[in-house]
Amino acid sequence: MTTKDQSGIDLMESGKLHALRQLILGLDQQDQDRLHLLLRDPHAFADEISELLPYAVRRLVEKGEITVDSLMPIIEDSMHKSVQKNPGKLVDILFPVMGPAIRKAVSEDIKRLIASINTSIETGLSFKSLKWRIQALLSKRSYTEILLANTYLYHVSHVFLIHRQSGILLHQEAANDSQQLESNMISAMITAIRDFVSDSFHNREDTSLDTIQVGLMNIFIEQGPHAIIAAIVEGNPPADFRLTMTEAIEAIHFNMAPEIEKFDGDTAIFIHSSKFLRTCLIRERKQRKARPPLAFIGLLILLFILISWVGYGYITNRRQIRALQEQVNNTPGYHLSSVKKKAGKYWFIGLQDPDATPFNEIVASSTIDSNKVKGEFEAYLSLEPEILVRKALNRLQPPPTVFLKTQGTVLEVTGAANQDWVEKLWANIFKITGISELDDSKLRVNHTEEPDLDWIIPEIEQKSFEFDINITEIDSLQFNAFQDLVQAALLLEQYNRTHHTLLRIIVYSYTSHDGNVEANLRVALRRAEHFATLLYQAGLKEELLEAHVKFVEEGQSPSLIRSVQFKVIDKNKE
Amino acid sequence: MLKKKVTMLGAFAVGKTSLVQQFVHSIFSERYQTTIGVRIDQKNLHIKDTDITLMLWDLYGQDDFMKVKASYLLGSSAYILVVDGTRHDTIATAHDLHQLAIDTLGKLPFVMLINKADLEESWEISSNDIQQLRDKGYKIFITSAKEGTNVEAAFYWLTEQMIAQ
Ligand SMILES: Nc1nc2c(ncn2[C@@H]2O[C@H](COP(=O)(O)OP(=O)(O)OP(=O)(O)O)[C@@H](O)[C@H]2O)c(=O)[nH]1
Ligand SMILES: [Mg+2]
């Protein structure tokens, strides 16, 4: 009892004491407990300060007592030290934040890269589907039907040969019905993706990329030491397709390794990889359904009857007529205004120059039945160069050593002729309608009847035609010199005839031992043959022509290389 | 047909992507979308009677955490070092990358672009700095991908160097 009372008093007293303390200090029990804890427990104290400190610092900065700039070195320094001591720590801290972001960004980027390949491929291929749609429309079959009929079990549409280091497209082959792709971009992207992947997987060889999925297509990649092959494949190719690709890339390396290694941007040579790449262009058509539905057969028969009734003859006729129409339009001296069908015949109506090739000759040279076409032309004067020259030829009857050309309404006469003909020329020239001027400044007049060897031979032997690398045919700039050559050559032939001599022209095509000798020879030979053919076409007898390739030897002028020159040799004196 | 790989090198956000976009598509965007890995673009040019296709490899910008990997440079015929005129320290990065290019590719034609010429107010590179670079034999163009200043000139100059090689 007593005890109870005692404690009762105590309690009462401490209650009073509290009240008293609160009065004096202004702190309640909770506040005191907290203070107590801070004094005794340093951890708790630190926690408390850490909440206040940032606020305090902000206040200090606001008041201008310290600046961010003055804090920065301290923070940077401590970060730096921390990273130096244990970089893992910082990575651990940052990773949860950065990791997902980086991963997301990386996969986004690969996705974007692939997406851009995808669009490059798809825009190219969409034309095909359009074609199928049109086919479907025309043949009244459903689009899906056409699509299925055109679908392959597998189908390699494009094969690229790509320079391994630079990602540059060296050569590509495409299946016949495939569309143009942005091949340069696709090649570079494939290479970049490959780099990126091998990079992200720490360059482990076994993770090197061998297929990239792009939409419904796969890009198969086969690596060689210097080049890679990439094939764009729809569907599942047979298992040995990989082997085909491996063999192709091996064959290419075997045959062209130096060219690939030396590659510096010029892709022309890689046309030679074509036959190897083509081996990869394989496909297999899906089996058609064994028994097409009856309705479909019915439709087909109906269609067939319809087509054979009006169609076939009509279509082939139309095509032939259109071809003839084009031919007539392209013939100098014609101006076609319309083609009409009258009483089962096609009437070609328009204008025709009297000197143009006769209409029935044009018809005869075409594939069309000449009974089916008729011409109805009114005469007109054509000013086309071919017609003007033909008029001049008809009226002037020049000797074979004279050449005629028109330049607008100016007639250029070059070559050589005797005085008689020159007089005839001047007497008749302006009777030719359409010609207003004569340029005979390059016409040589022979005063003797005899062709003159002292003039002819140097004229031939001083000619030299120089060519750029790999060019084998003369260009328009060389054409004038070539005409002079022809003219001299024809005079030589005339001389042979009158003197019963056998003066021959030897064509020498020069090349060198530098580089690929075999290729040099081939090109030089082609040049030599080109000249022999041109001279033959200009009217020179074949037996008077001979073509040779010569190597430029040391001591000879290097400017001879890639030139074609001529020598006149007397066969009888050989 | 001539095809050449040209690589864009420089610190992050100096404007490599913007320069390529300006040159190839004549577009510019203020938005910064950092390049991860590489972007590829193609430009066909006709210079000095030569048809040439540039395959432009626009690499991610180098920073302290992401060094540019040599493997991306392989096969380049030329490269472009890009510096941000408003950030002096991007010159040092360009120097590092120049060294990397020499180590990986040997001596090749290159050009240095000091970009963002339109931001005069925050320009940090003095004419003295530029003179020092020129003294080292660098060909320098002051460009703005935003306004298109000198962009074409720089790419054409570099292409001519490649053709002359
Ligand atoms: N005013 C101005 N801004 C530019 C210029 N060039 C680029 N920028 C801006 O600078 C920022 C970075 O440009 P990017 O072209 O993405 O730079 P980058 O070098 O490709 O960057 P990374 O791919 O991250 O290495 C973008 O916000 C651009 O709009 C310029 O000539 N003038
Ligand atoms: Mg970029």
Side-chain angles (χ1 to χ4, degrees), chain B residues 15-18 32-35 39 58-61:
Chain B
K16 298 178 291 297
T17 304
S18 305
Y32 176 37
Q33 198 176 20
T34 187
T35 307
R39 275 180 66 111
D58 166 22
L59 298 195
Y60 58 91

Side-chain angles (χ1 to χ4, degrees), chain A residues 86-115:
Chain A
N86 182 6
K89 191 107 196 161
L90 192 69
V91 173
D92 284 350
I93 295 169
L94 287 177
F95 188 74
V97 191
M98 305 281 290
I102 292 174
R103 266 201 305 279
K104 183 160 179 294
V106 168
S107 61
E108 279 299 305
D109 215 69
I110 290 190
K111 254 193 244 155
R112 217 173 43 221
L113 218 61
I114 291 180

